[in-house]
Amino acid sequence: MTEYDLIVIGAGPGGYVAAIRAAQLGLNVACIEREPALGGTCLRVGCIPSKALLERSELYHEASDGLKKHGVKVGKLELDLAAMLKRKDATVSALTKGVAGLFKKNNVTRYEGTATFTGKGALKVEGKDSAELTAKHIIIATGSKPATIPGVELDGKRVGSSTEALSYEEVPKHLVVIGAGVIGLELGSVWLRLGSKVTVLEYMDHILPGLDSDLSKEAHKLFKKQGFDFHLGSKVTGAKSLKSKAVVSVDGMDDIECDQVLVATGRWANTDSLGLDAIGLETNKRGQIEVNEHFETAVEGVYAIGDVIPGLMLAHKAEDEGVACVEHIVTGVGHVNYDAVPGIVYTHPEIASVGKTEQELQDAGVEYNVGKFNFMANGRARALGDTAGWVKILADKQIDRVLGAHIIGPRAGDLIAECAVAIEFGASAEDIARSCHAHPTLAECVKEAALGVAGRTIHM
Ligand code: NAI
C-alpha cells in the first residue's frame, strides 16, 4: 500500500495540470492513466490532432483555391494524405512526451493502468503498473467518450467517432456527419477541404447549438458557401457499415449511402469503470459526477473536474478547474469564473465566444448595448484577403461592463483572449475602446466593436 497526499485519476488536460499544480504546491502526487501516452483525449485524439489536420488541410485548400487571388500561382498540386497524417501523429507524440517530461520535472509519480476505488481514499491500479494506493485527496479527471444514438453503432469501420475521422486512410468520396456541433464542423471541414462531399445531418433547426444565434446563422451561411450540404431538422435513426459503403437512415428521408459516417452527437462522461459504488458515490441521470463550487463530490476527500462533471466540455475549462481544485485543497482558496471561459470552433473562419449570448441576456432580463464591427472594414483583414465575419461586444446598458463577446472571422480564437481578460477584470466596453490597439491588426476590430457599443465606431 503506497500513500500519497493526492492521487489524480486521468492525465488529460484537467488531470495532468491538477497534478503538476499540486506538486508545485508541495503535495506528494500520483497520477493514474490507463493509456500509455499522457495528455488524454485532447492531446491524443482530440484538440491537438484535429488542429494539426485543420491547419494542414487549410494549407492544401489555400494552395488549391485561395492563393490565386494573392498573385501566387501554384503548379500541379497533389495531396500526400499519408504524410499529412504522419505529421499529425508526430505533433501528438511530441506533446504527449512533453507531459511525461513535465511529470518527471515536477516529481509527479505516474502509474499506467486502470484505477478503481476499493474504499474511501483507496484505489487499485490494474495494468502495467499494478498497485494498491491510498490518498487523503483523490481527483477524478477521467474525461469523456463519444456518445452514440439509438440505432447507430460505432463499429470503427465505416461508422466511427472523431477518433476514426482523424485517421481515414483515404479521402472519403462522401462523408456523412451526424451532428452539426463543434466536432462535426471541425472534422467535416478537414475532409471537405481535402475533397470529400460532406453531408451534415442535424436534429435541431440550426447549427452549433448553444452559441449566440447571430454567430450560428453567420456560420451556417458561410459554411454552406464552402460546400457543406446541411440537412437541418433531420433526426438520424440508424447507421450501419456494409461491405463497401455505409448507410444512414433519417426520419422522413431516403436512406443515404456514403463511404464514411462521423458520429458527432456529443460526449458521455467516463465514470463506468471507476467502481464508484465502493465509496457510495452516485452519478446524475447523464452519468456525470455532481460537485460543489470547490469541485468536492458528495464523498469527503473525493473531487471531480473536467468532462466528468456538468458544464462545458473544454480542455481549458478542465485545466482551470484542476488548478482551482488543488489550490482550494492546499490554500483554502480557488475559483473558476465560468463567464470568462472562452469557447472556440476552429473552422475557417474561426468562431469564438466568451460570456453571455444575447439570448441569455434577454432571458435574464438584462438590458445591454451591442457594438459590432465587420472584418471587411479592417485593413489587416483586407491584406490577408480574409474579410468574412465580425466582432460583436455586448455591454451592460447602465454600467457599460462587458458581458459577452462573439467573434466570427480570421483568428477569432486568438482575438477572444482580450475579451476574456476584459470580462475577468470587470472591464467596460469603454476600457477596451480606450486601450491602444496596434495598427494594422485584426485586434482593431475588437476595439472598433467596443467603440460601437457607444455608437462611435470610426471605420464603419
Ligand atoms: P455537440 O453537443 O457540440 O453537438 C452535437 C450535435 O448533434 C447537436 O447539434 C445535436 O443536436 C446533434 N444530434 C444529436 N442527436 C442527433 C440525431 N439523432 N440526429 C441528428 N443530430 C443529432 O457535440 P460534439 O460536436 O460531438 O462535441 C462534443 C463535445 O466536445 C462538446 O461539448 C464540444 O464543446 C467539445 N469539443 C470542443 C471543441 C473545441 O472547443 N474546439 C472541439 C471538439 C469538441
Side-chain angles (χ1 to χ4, degrees), residues 5 141 341 446:
D5 297 328
V341 174
V446 177

Side-chain angles (χ1 to χ4, degrees), residues 51 149 178-184 186 201-204 209 234-236 264-267 313-314 344-346:
K51 262 81 270 177
I149 48 176
I178 309 176
V182 190
I183 294 184
E186 287 188 356
L201 304 169
E202 167 57 50
Y203 179 70
M204 312 277 273
S234 303
K235 185 178 176 199
V236 173
T265 50
R267 297 181 62 88
M313 290 184 165
L314 297 171
I344 298 160
V345 189
Y346 295 88

Side-chain angles (χ1 to χ4, degrees), residues 325-387:
C325 178
V326 296
E327 288 187 348
H328 185 261
I329 290 172
V330 178
T331 68
V333 189
H335 155 84
V336 176
N337 175 5
Y338 291 103
D339 274 336
V341 174
I344 298 160
V345 189
Y346 295 88
T347 44
H348 190 97
E350 286 182 349
I351 302 165
S353 269
V354 64
K356 303 289 188 215
T357 64
E358 286 203 54
Q359 296 69 47
E360 284 170 337
L361 293 176
Q362 285 159 14
D363 290 347
V366 177
E367 290 192 311
Y368 60 95
N369 287 324
V370 182
K372 207 166 176 183
F373 191 79
N374 294 337
F375 283 100
M376 184 64 95
N378 172 268
R380 189 64 183 277
R382 288 262 180 166
L384 282 168
D386 205 352
T387 51

